[in-house]
Amino acid sequence: AVISFISFVIMTVKMFHNKHLENGRAKEGHLKRAAVTVSLFTGLFLLCNLPFFIITALYAISLCFGYTYPEPFFTNDFMRLYSWVIAKVLFTVFNAALNP
């Protein structure tokens, strides 16, 4: 997740930093399109997997402080039972559906 975030930040900065590209050079245009594509796919991956990363962090925090997992965070029965399924399965399928 950290590597994906770093890749997303670098490609986005590089994409906006190179606005002074000449229109006549085809190679630089292809590089810019590749940078846009990589940053879009990486951003979409991070957005779709963010709920899973958050739930995993909450699970690790609850283990560190000696709680049972859903108790201090999810008091609603629906979220207590289905948070892992929604975060991992549903958003992973959503990510695969959005990527061409």
Side-chain angles (χ1 to χ4, degrees):
V2 175
I3 294 171
S4 297
F5 180 72
I6 291 170
S7 170
F8 174 70
V9 170
I10 289 172
M11 291 307 257
T12 305
V13 168
K14 187 170 181 87
M15 181 177 57
F16 288 117
H17 181 66
N18 290 334
K19 284 188 176 182
H20 56 67
L21 294 175
E22 297 176 12
N23 292 331
R25 295 189 177 186
K27 184 177 180 181
E28 290 178 355
H30 289 295
L31 290 176
K32 185 171 183 175
R33 278 188 267 157
V36 168
T37 303
V38 168
S39 65
L40 285 175
F41 287 151
T42 307
L44 186 64
F45 170 78
L46 289 172
L47 183 70
C48 288
N49 287 317
L50 187 65
F52 178 69
F53 297 146
I54 291 172
I55 287 177
T56 304
L58 290 176
Y59 180 69
I61 289 170
S62 68
L63 286 178
C64 289
F65 291 113
Y67 299 120
T68 57
Y69 166 63
E71 292 303 323
F73 304 111
F74 299 123
T75 55
N76 184 359
D77 285 336
F78 179 79
M79 286 304 292
R80 184 176 54 81
L81 294 173
Y82 296 111
S83 62
W84 283 98
V85 175
I86 291 171
K88 188 60 182 163
V89 176
L90 184 66
F91 282 111
T92 302
V93 171
F94 187 60
N95 183 21
L98 289 177
N99 285 333

